[in-house]
Amino acid sequence: YAFNGCVNISSIVIPARVRSIEYKSFEGCSSLDTLVIQGMPIIDDYAFSECPKLLDVFCLSEKVISAVDRELHEDYNLDVDALVAEEHAFFNSDIKYATLHVPSGSEKSYSNWKPWNKFGKIVPLTEENIEWIYGHPQKDFPYLVLPIIVGLIFIIILIVMRPKKKTSTEGL
């Protein structure tokens, strides 16, 4: 539920180092219109649900498999080296009106799997898309790092400010 209901987020870049996008992480981000997934995370159900303005999703992974295939890989301790999204990852996000931008030559792979095949259009990434994604990431997109750092600082402050326990010899 990390960014659940953050109505002011309009664009997000999921860096390549992110391994999973948890259940309902970005649910209800009603202003979200652009999503960039740089790596191959596992995207849980409802991770981007209720994002009605989502218009463009950029996936940089050439490999994509279904959640069922991921489970089979895990059952046999095989590495999952592909982008995986649960069927309801974009539940109620009107992706039938959105465009999915994927590496050239991988359009068919994405069109074979839910939820990717529910997008209105699946088109190849252009050079301009790639330049835009990599050329201006700090200027155009809020990174997930800042909220994580703020959260860690808050936790540290809570630990430091926590009242000390009285020992049995105090007050005698």
Side-chain angles (χ1 to χ4, degrees):
Y1 299 92
F3 298 93
N4 186 300
C6 290
V7 298
N8 293 322
I9 294 176
S10 62
S11 57
I12 299 169
V13 170
I14 306 294
R17 67 185 167 274
V18 172
R19 295 326 248 155
S20 67
I21 303 170
E22 302 296 325
Y23 177 81
K24 294 189 175 188
S25 290
F26 295 95
E27 179 186 49
C29 292
S30 57
S31 297
L32 181 63
D33 60 23
T34 305
L35 170 63
V36 177
I37 303 170
Q38 292 182 336
M40 295 181 277
I42 296 168
I43 305 172
D44 284 344
D45 274 331
Y46 307 101
F48 296 98
S49 65
E50 306 291 337
C51 298
K53 293 185 179 177
L54 194 57
L55 294 176
D56 289 288
V57 175
F58 298 86
C59 294
L60 304 186
S61 175
E62 292 179 2
K63 298 178 184 176
V64 62
I65 61 172
S66 72
V68 172
D69 283 347
R70 180 202 67 178
E71 290 170 10
L72 288 173
H73 279 72
E74 289 173 349
D75 288 345
Y76 292 101
N77 293 322
L78 301 173
D79 286 335
V80 179
D81 190 23
L83 177 61
V84 179
E86 296 286 345
E87 183 176 347
H88 299 292
F90 296 94
F91 185 76
N92 275 351
S93 289
D94 289 335
I95 58 174
K96 65 185 172 210
Y97 302 112
T99 301
L100 178 63
H101 305 261
V102 300
S104 183
S106 62
E107 302 93 336
K108 185 160 176 58
S109 295
Y110 278 86
S111 69
N112 287 332
W113 304 112
K114 293 178 184 177
W116 311 114
N117 61 3
K118 301 297 181 195
F119 278 80
K121 289 188 273 183
I122 301 177
V123 300
L125 286 164
T126 64
E127 287 296 320
E128 292 157 344
N129 296 148
I130 295 167
E131 286 177 22
W132 176 71
I133 290 166
Y134 287 113
H136 310 299
Q138 293 178 351
K139 186 171 109 181
D140 290 341
F141 294 112
Y143 269 84
L144 298 178
V145 175
L146 182 60
I148 291 169
I149 290 171
V150 170
L152 289 173
I153 291 170
F154 180 72
I155 290 169
I156 291 168
I157 290 170
L158 287 176
I159 291 170
V160 170
M161 301 299 290
R162 150 180 99 210
K164 294 181 180 178
K165 293 182 180 178
K166 291 183 180 182
T167 60
S168 60
T169 58
E170 287 182 19
L172 294 178

